[in-house]
């Protein structure tokens, strides 16, 4: 089957045609990745760091060309796409530094305890790569959550070759980025088969890729339905493998009366900016805002809505997303309890546009209407008016677990909010205080994850340095001779990494023991 | 449905009758665990440490009573069961110490970087408990992998209440142990609902437990079929949850010519002891031994077999295990290429006995007969004679991934063995040098896990302190005020735990920054 991308601004098909990968092509890519893994799994941290930095350099050099094609396929705008280039290069650099430093293997050494009952053997553990990884790109971040994105960078950092299922909304961007990455590999004599891409418009190519026996893990960013289906598909394989799917999220935002009293305008502007970023197509878009019922809450809602009405309708990434949000708002916007404060119906003219839409309901309606609890992927949000704090706690329990939960309040309210924060801690991966959830920093402490339906496996993050852990498994060596141990586990600690030795964190070599 | 346990020595049913838990009982236990979780999730490391130590104390005090009933239900013998009591109490103490020390939450702090592009927020991450956990006990370790075992200890250490599906082969042992643990909870005013047990002879009770919506993770030790079925069942829930199943394993053992030349007798005695430990009912039993074809290999095989023939037939845990291994050996033992060196047919007399069985094949037969690659759970092992080292590498690739892989060789052979070790590293969780895989030390560096079919999720271990990670998930706090942060993430580091701050490991408080 062949397909083209579309220009979201005009709705017209692109000039280049792409073909669904055949079963034979998919198997060939995986076979090449599997063969390459036997080389890359031996890479030292220094070597893989060199590889990742080389990729970062090539992405930087190709930045303008990448933005050019991504803009044509996504209409996200040059400033946003330029910042995405900055993000992906910084990400490859971060993982490069992580690997060069080397402590990410979590080395743990327990010396023999011959005097114990039963005697304890010499045991040394570290993390090793899982094997070839399949990654699925998202439509909404053609760079940062696509071919040159966090899943690719963290899998390569773990020394796992990647076979990437490109998103059909930006196939050319994917091709260009893959070529740039392969140039980065070539430049330092690393095998090009560390990254391959396959195209596919429907679900068949992706399913075939996940079912390839040599694939050992899957990274995915996309819809709840897609991620869940792949997770279950992989669980049913002869050898089940993990699917790390980062999926839909409503990202509730809670505002107290005191916060509104002090900074109503600022909170309206901030919220509107966050919910419309990238035409509302962020996984972390705040889709539900809880404000106190009463005069301040109503004024805030009206301020948000007035701002929304002034905005030009944004372009969505493809027709499917535009049609889905339009159909969803056709249902939820016309519930009898729902007031449409802004937007709410389609826009004429060419391209995949939809106006910024703000709905408003009271607490009773929110309780009764589960369809309002669901993510509306696009430039839409629902404002929910709550009564007392107890009311808010009850409403918060109805919100599906999310990637994030944001809270706008005053420092003096800390004690009153403790119970809400404890609840949110159980229902989100990242809690934001007096800020907005869009914008996911690539650092050590980031958690871009959360309980289902935010992700399929809540033990991990797909952004930040800990994302590498998804592609590593522990192995222990018992009573092994020094020359057969990986350098990370040898007595002399030749790499100078942080290790837990007999229960204590150390940096230096193991001292002689009596 | 009601059932009894059986005395393996006589085959006679026990006097006490147990009932399959009803749907209502299962739901009630989970509801109580879920309510209790809202209390236990707040426990400090010090508090949970106190709880775990109290349980350890009660288990120690009740040790003789526990051994008494376990011996009646399992026939594993007092010395072995007494050592299991030592193991479980040490395990609760280890997790107690881990929690009291506190660094296991993996606290990571990244300070705000307002000067960066884009500006980096203050982000602080730590691990928090997942929620109520279901655990399935194994038949072969009525204590260490059952009610008072590692899954229970690590889940409770993570502050997750446990609903335990007791194994129907030792229901009374399970009841006694649960009562002792609950006494330990009571003694320090912790809620008894932190541990509940349910009985069930078939698969219905377990399936119902895994499908309870408030269960957040599952620990399992048992058969490949059972573990895989539960993994897939949990993947198909409305909210998928992880099933950490530790399952069958063939645990290959490789012996070089040089090792045989130096210590043939010792290696025969050691292997026979390891393969018959607990009547061969260890997850880590070495079920396949690869020895060089030729005079030494044949002599070694004959020495093992002679020892095996001298052993009294061991008691198996229940009739199902006895019948399964008998039926399996009926097939594999009578393949035309297989030589039966010892045992291989059933034993008269009362109880669930089977003689120690040693099969022998050459490399060609092993290649042709996949049924020889499968675990024989019970006192049986297959000796495979290999030619050159290349032959051994090829044979090793046919062995299913295992919990362990053992290698007996001389120090001088290290370089020649490098490729084999690299292969084993990809196919086992623990690599043993000049030792035997039975005996799993409860330490920081232990890995009791491995690629499927050894486990369903190879990223974890079910033994050792890292087992706690299966029941924790990360959460990040962005720009949060100090009083709303958990103590683990506050600037002053009041708990004095190890934390990664701005990429560096630290132990003290965060210093003031300019």
């Amino acid at each position: 089957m062949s397909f083209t991308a579309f220009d979201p601004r005009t709705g017209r098909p692109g000039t280049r045609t792409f073909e669904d990968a055949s079963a034979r092509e998919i198997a060939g890519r995986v076979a090449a990745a599997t063969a390459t893994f036997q080389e890359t799994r031996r890479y030292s941290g220094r070597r893989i760091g060199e590889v990742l930095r080389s990729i970062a350099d090539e992405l930087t050099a190709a930045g303008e060309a990448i933005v050019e094609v991504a803009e044509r396929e996504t209409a996200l705008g040059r400033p946003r796409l330029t910042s995405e280039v900055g993000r992906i290069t910084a990400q490859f650099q971060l993982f490069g530094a992580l690997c060069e430093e080397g402590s990410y293997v979590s080395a743990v050494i327990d010396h023999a305890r011959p005097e114990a009952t039963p005697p304890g053997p010499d045991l040394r553990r570290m993390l090793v790569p899982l094997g070839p990884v399949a990654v699925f790109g998202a439509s909404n971040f053609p760079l940062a959550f696509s071919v040159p994105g966090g899943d690719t960078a963290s899998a390569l950092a773990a020394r796992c070759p990647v076979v990437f299922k490109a998103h059909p909304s930006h196939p050319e961007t994917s091709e260009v980025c893959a070529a740039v990455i392969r140039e980065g590999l070539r430049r330092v004599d690393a095998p090009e088969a560390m990254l391959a891409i396959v195209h596919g418009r429907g679900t068949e190519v992706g399913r075939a890729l996940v079912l390839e026996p040599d694939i050992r893990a899957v990274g995915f960013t996309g819809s709840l339905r897609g991620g869940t289906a792949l997770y279950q598909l992989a669980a049913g394989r002869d050898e089940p493998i993990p699917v790390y799917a980062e999926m839909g999220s409503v990202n509730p935002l809670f505002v107290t009366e005191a916060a509104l009293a002090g900074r109503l305008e600022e909170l309206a502007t901030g919220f509107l900016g966050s919910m419309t970023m990238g035409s509302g197509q962020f996984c972390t878009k705040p889709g539900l805002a809880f404000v106190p019922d009463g005069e301040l809450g109503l004024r805030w809602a009206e301020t948000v809505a007035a701002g929304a009405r002034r905005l030009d309708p944004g372009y969505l990434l493809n027709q499917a997303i535009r049609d889905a949000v339009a159909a969803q708002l056709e249902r939820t916007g016309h519930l009898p309890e729902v007031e449409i404060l802004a937007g709410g119906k389609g826009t004429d003219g060419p391209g995949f546009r939809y106006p910024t839409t703000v709905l408003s309901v009271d607490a009773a309606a929110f309780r009764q209407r589960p369809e309002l609890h669901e993510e509306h992927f696009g430039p839409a949000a629902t404002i929910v008016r709550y009564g007392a704090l107890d009311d808010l706690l009850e409403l918060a329990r109805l919100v599906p677990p999310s990637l994030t939960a944001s809270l706008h309040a005053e420092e003096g309210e800390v004690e009153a909010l403790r119970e809400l924060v404890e609840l949110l801690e159980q229902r989100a991966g990242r809690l934001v205080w007096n800020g907005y959830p869009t914008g996911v920093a690539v650092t050590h402490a980031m958690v871009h994850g959360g309980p289902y339906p935010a992700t399929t496996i809540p033990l991990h993050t797909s952004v930040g340095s800990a994302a590498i852990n998804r592609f590593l498994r522990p192995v222990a060596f018992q009573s092994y001779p020094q020359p057969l141990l990986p350098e990370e586990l040898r007595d002399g600690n030749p790499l100078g990494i942080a290790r837990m030795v007999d229960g204590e964190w150390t940096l230096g070599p193991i001292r002689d023991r009596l």
Side-chain angles (χ1 to χ4, degrees), chain A residues 16 76 98 104 165 169-170 188 214 241 256 268 321 386 388 399 418 434 456:
Chain A
R16 248 188 90 179
L76 285 169
L98 187 81
Y104 76 96
K165 162 66 176 65
S169 284
H170 52 263
V188 291
D214 285 328
I241 56 171
T256 66
I321 290 175
Y386 67 87
V399 178
R418 201 170 283 283
N434 283 341
T456 44

Side-chain angles (χ1 to χ4, degrees), chain A residues 135-213:
Chain A
V135 179
F136 288 71
S139 61
N140 60 340
F141 278 83
L143 309 178
F145 288 87
S146 197
V147 173
D151 282 348
T152 300
S154 55
L156 292 181
R159 295 169 280 163
C160 299
V162 169
V163 181
F164 200 101
K165 162 66 176 65
H167 197 284
S169 284
H170 52 263
E172 202 173 339
T173 308
S174 300
E175 289 274 357
V176 169
C177 290
V180 171
I181 290 176
R182 282 197 292 260
E183 182 55 35
L185 294 167
R186 251 195 309 271
R187 206 166 53 107
V188 291
D189 296 319
E192 287 185 42
M194 283 186 84
L195 177 75
I197 68 173
V198 290
H199 291 290
R201 192 170 56 174
T203 58
E204 296 79 9
V205 169
R207 290 176 59 90
L209 180 58
V210 169
L211 293 176
E212 278 290 326

Side-chain angles (χ1 to χ4, degrees), chain A residues 109 111 124 482 487-502 504-513:
Chain A
I109 297 177
H111 283 94
R124 300 173 185 230
Q482 291 283 318
E487 285 192 304
E488 287 86 347
L489 297 179
R490 292 190 194 157
D491 282 348
N493 195 7
L495 304 178
I497 58 175
R499 313 191 292 187
M500 183 187 264
V501 179
D502 297 327
E504 309 248 323
W505 284 101
T506 65
L507 281 167
I510 294 169
R511 287 176 298 278
D512 286 337
R513 280 151 190 280

